[in-house]
Amino acid sequence: MRGLNGKIAVVAGGGRGIGKAIATALAGYGSTVVIGSRTESQHQAAAEQIRQLGGAAQGLTLDVQNEESVASFMAQVDELYGRIDVLVYCAGTNKRIPAESYTAEAWDEVMGINLKGAFLTCKEAGKRMIAQGGGSIITITSMLSHIATPNQSAYSASKGGLIQYSKVLAVEWGGYGVRVNCVSPGYIETDLNAANFKREAFRDAVLGKTPMGRFGETAEVAEAVCFLASPAASFISGAYIPVDGGFLAGHQNVVML
């Protein structure tokens, strides 16, 4: 992707899965990547793998729910590089529980990582981007930001809220040259969900509603993020890109009589 060479890119939640693929892709296009996560072994291993591929990467500890941790992380980025050109917020969690059985503790955990963490991280990065005259923020939302499925009330609420939050940031910060967009992945194959995706009933149910007839790959989400981070998307802000093989389009066209 042209225009990413030499950029300083922070990936919150970049130690595994989709976040790791995003960090790897950004580094592959020439960005220096800072991977933040709570688990040191994960972000250090991800950074080392990128370096072995010839990219520039650094892993730092980041607890997105903790304001002091976020501030300390950003201060370390300042000390190392002096700027943040790209922020990708990919930290997230989910608890599949019927709505009537959801506990306040479980609700707070999902909201804390998916929404509060985005608020704390985007705010700190945004202040720096405003001061330096521009930047690009991409939040990783979900197709469940747009549709409802059972047992995911907190997740859907948090991801729907993240899209609205991202839109507000795009409106408030656009005049400072800061673009804010979202990528909404559909069913993407990762190590964490590989076993579930192998279940025949699950595969048939999902693929039957996916026009392209397959699951997505983490690299495909990463390419959408790199596009939004790059100058190729210089007049795109406040938008979301579904990376779902047409799943949302099919659902949005269904009329129940």
Side-chain angles (χ1 to χ4, degrees):
M1 194 72 61
R2 294 177 60 185
L4 290 175
N5 189 51
K7 299 295 186 182
I8 306 301
V10 169
V11 182
R16 63 182 183 181
I18 291 174
K20 182 179 176 182
I22 291 168
T24 302
L26 286 166
Y29 286 121
S31 296
T32 296
V33 179
V34 184
I35 300 170
S37 76
R38 285 186 298 181
T39 307
E40 183 175 3
S41 59
Q42 288 181 355
H43 61 245
Q44 293 294 354
E48 177 59 26
Q49 288 177 22
I50 289 172
R51 290 193 292 267
Q52 289 177 359
L53 292 171
Q58 174 79 36
L60 298 174
T61 299
L62 171 63
D63 181 353
V64 297
Q65 299 183 82
N66 185 293
E67 192 167 8
E68 291 182 359
S69 176
V70 174
S72 174
F73 174 86
M74 293 296 177
Q76 291 178 76
V77 176
D78 285 341
E79 185 175 349
L80 286 168
Y81 305 110
R83 64 186 293 111
I84 299 174
D85 300 301
V86 177
L87 168 69
V88 182
Y89 189 83
C90 194
T93 192
N94 191 8
K95 291 183 179 295
R96 295 172 175 84
I97 304 170
E100 70 275 13
S101 301
Y102 234 100
T103 64
E105 181 182 13
W107 181 274
D108 287 345
E109 181 178 350
V110 174
M111 289 291 178
I113 295 175
N114 295 359
L115 197 51
K116 179 184 176 183
F119 153 65
L120 293 174
T121 308
C122 291
K123 182 181 73 168
E124 287 299 318
K127 289 191 294 186
R128 289 159 171 80
M129 291 178 179
I130 289 169
Q132 71 195 23
S136 177
I137 296 174
I138 301 98
T139 61
I140 305 303
T141 54
S142 169
M143 66 182 185
L144 295 186
S145 302
H146 314 279
I147 61 173
T149 62
N151 303 325
Q152 308 213 57
S153 55
Y155 185 80
S156 292
S158 66
K159 291 296 188 175
L162 182 54
I163 280 191
Q164 289 302 108
Y165 177 64
S166 301
K167 287 180 179 180
V168 171
L169 296 186
V171 170
E172 291 194 17
W173 296 347
Y176 300 106
V178 179
R179 297 184 298 106
V180 186
N181 293 290
C182 311
V183 169
S184 294
Y187 287 98
I188 308 297
E189 290 192 278
T190 68
D191 292 340
L192 292 177
N193 59 30
N196 198 38
F197 279 27
K198 289 177 181 177
R199 292 193 297 112
E200 185 176 356
F202 178 86
R203 291 183 66 89
D204 289 348
V206 171
L207 298 182
K209 297 178 181 178
T210 304
M212 290 186 69
R214 66 173 177 85
F215 297 120
E217 300 176 2
T218 57
E220 293 175 308
V221 180
E223 289 298 321
V225 170
C226 289
F227 164 68
L228 289 174
S230 77
S234 58
F235 201 53
I236 300 176
S237 194
Y240 73 85
I241 296 179
V243 182
D244 64 355
F247 191 99
L248 278 179
H251 273 66
Q252 290 170 348
N253 290 329
V254 171
V255 178
M256 300 300 291
L257 298 177

